[in-house]
Structure formats: C-alpha cells, structure tokens
Amino acid sequence: MNEIIGKALIETLEMVLVSTTFSVILGFIPAIILTVTANDGLKPNKIIYTILDFIINTLRSFPVLILMVIIIPLTRFIVGKSIGTEAAMVPLTIAAAPFVARIIESSLREVDKGVVEAAKSFGASNTQIIFKVMLKEAVPSIISGITLTIISIVGYSAMAGTIGGGGLGQVAISYGYQRYQTDVMIVTCIILIIVVQGLQLLGNYFYNKLSK
C-alpha cells in the first residue's frame, strides 16, 4: 500500500505540474488580449473583448467532472486514451486555463494607471507597456493567483480519480471507498492537505520576495 500511495502521489504532482504549466501558457494569451481590448485598455475593442469574455465565462461554468466527460474525444485525440494520468492532464488544463486568464487579466488591470501613463509619456509602445511595465508590476499578484490555481488543480486531480484519472484521488476511491479501507482514505486526505499547505507556503514565499 505504501508503494501504491507513493506512486499515486507522484502521479498527482505530475498532473498538477504539467496542467499548471499548460494552463498558464493557454491563459496568458487571452488575458493579454482581454486587458488590451477592455474599455480602459490600450486598444479598446468591444467586439473582441465581448466574444473572448463570453468564451472564458462559458468554460468556467462547466463543473470539472462534466468537462472531463465532455472532452473525452479531444483527450483521446491528444494523448490517445481517455483514462490515466496523461489523459487527466487535458481536462485539468482546459478547466484551469480560463481561471488563469482571469487572474492575469485582473492583475494587469490592477496596475496603477499613473505608471502606465508615465510609460506612455516616455514614448513606450503598447508592447513595451504590457511586457515591461504592466507585467512587471503585476508579477506578485499573478504569483498569488497562480498559487490558488495550483491548489484548485490539486482538488481537480483528486476528482479526476473518480473517472480513472490516477493519482491520490483514484487510490482514495478504489481502496478507501470501494473497499471500505478507511485508513487509506484518511492517509490520502492527510497527504493532500500537506501538499496544499506546502504549495501555499511556497506561493507566499515567492509573493513576499517579489513584492519587495
């Protein structure tokens, strides 16, 4: 059982790491577009903003388990199967990406307008303002938001175990629930709590360091 739990922990961490990485990549682009095309953005465009805003809100509306089932064909197309750790990464990424987009967008729009105006007065281009001013100022807030996203993905990964996604969630369901091994259920819950606490402490450390 120790070997099973150890392997499941590695699978969970793998799912979280890969899903977070890809969700940040996928969420970064729409976040920049939303920030730029907003009413108070550098290049306001109501049509683009409204369409992208609707798509992101729609994706955020799906419960994770339902999303995992809905995109099974896409999961099969990308990884060649619909169950297992690799397969779970696809819906986890898609589920987290809209949240990351909102986090980055909110962080960028919270940047002091005075700083942006000062950059404009020095002749900075929109690209320079976004990447050298706004992003630089928003990094601590983005780190804090991504920390919350990672913790959410840990919870999502546990849910993925109910449909064969692997990781600690599947161990808790297969052994703790279906086989009535309460001790296994307790151990997996304790491990998840430790993982979440560790991630939160790490996120707080980077936030405080970058805020200085």
Side-chain angles (χ1 to χ4, degrees):
M1 184 54 64
N2 289 338
E3 291 179 1
I4 292 173
I5 292 177
K7 181 182 177 182
L9 175 60
I10 293 173
E11 290 176 348
T12 294
L13 295 177
E14 183 182 356
M15 280 191 283
V16 171
L17 177 62
V18 174
S19 300
T20 300
T21 301
F22 282 103
S23 64
V24 170
I25 294 172
L26 292 177
F28 181 78
I29 297 174
I32 295 296
I33 296 174
L34 285 168
T35 303
V36 171
T37 59
N39 290 333
D40 57 348
L42 298 173
K43 280 191 175 182
N45 189 313
K46 188 174 181 179
I47 295 175
I48 293 177
Y49 183 88
T50 302
I51 293 172
L52 192 54
D53 181 69
F54 175 78
I55 293 172
I56 290 176
N57 285 338
T58 300
L59 290 174
R60 289 177 62 191
S61 300
F62 283 99
V64 178
L65 286 176
I66 295 176
L67 183 64
M68 288 179 180
V69 174
I70 290 175
I71 66 170
I72 282 177
L74 177 62
T75 302
R76 283 196 184 123
F77 175 76
I78 294 175
V79 299
K81 55 184 178 180
S82 60
I83 60 174
T85 304
E86 294 83 4
M89 293 176 187
V90 177
L92 290 180
T93 299
I94 295 176
F99 287 94
V100 173
R102 286 301 186 198
I103 286 168
I104 297 177
E105 179 200 4
S106 298
S107 298
L108 290 174
R109 296 182 69 175
E110 287 173 0
V111 173
D112 188 352
K113 298 297 181 184
V115 176
V116 176
E117 292 300 323
K120 286 182 180 179
S121 68
F122 281 105
S125 65
N126 289 340
T127 302
Q128 289 174 324
I129 291 173
I130 293 169
F131 291 97
K132 293 185 178 181
V133 178
M134 297 178 73
L135 269 177
K136 186 177 180 180
E137 291 290 322
V139 164
S141 179
I142 291 174
I143 292 296
S144 180
I146 290 178
T147 300
L148 294 177
T149 301
I150 294 173
I151 292 171
S152 295
I153 293 176
V154 172
Y156 294 163
S157 69
M159 295 181 199
T162 61
I163 57 174
L168 292 170
Q170 185 165 335
V171 171
I173 294 296
S174 300
Y175 294 90
Y177 177 71
Q178 295 177 347
R179 299 187 183 183
Y180 303 102
Q181 293 179 256
T182 307
D183 56 335
V184 175
M185 181 78 76
I186 294 173
V187 169
T188 53
C189 288
I190 291 173
I191 292 174
L192 286 171
I193 291 171
I194 293 172
V195 169
V196 168
Q197 293 294 331
L199 290 171
Q200 186 64 64
L201 289 173
L202 188 63
N204 291 343
Y205 169 77
F206 282 113
Y207 174 81
N208 292 328
K209 188 172 184 179
L210 291 170
S211 294
K212 298 177 182 178

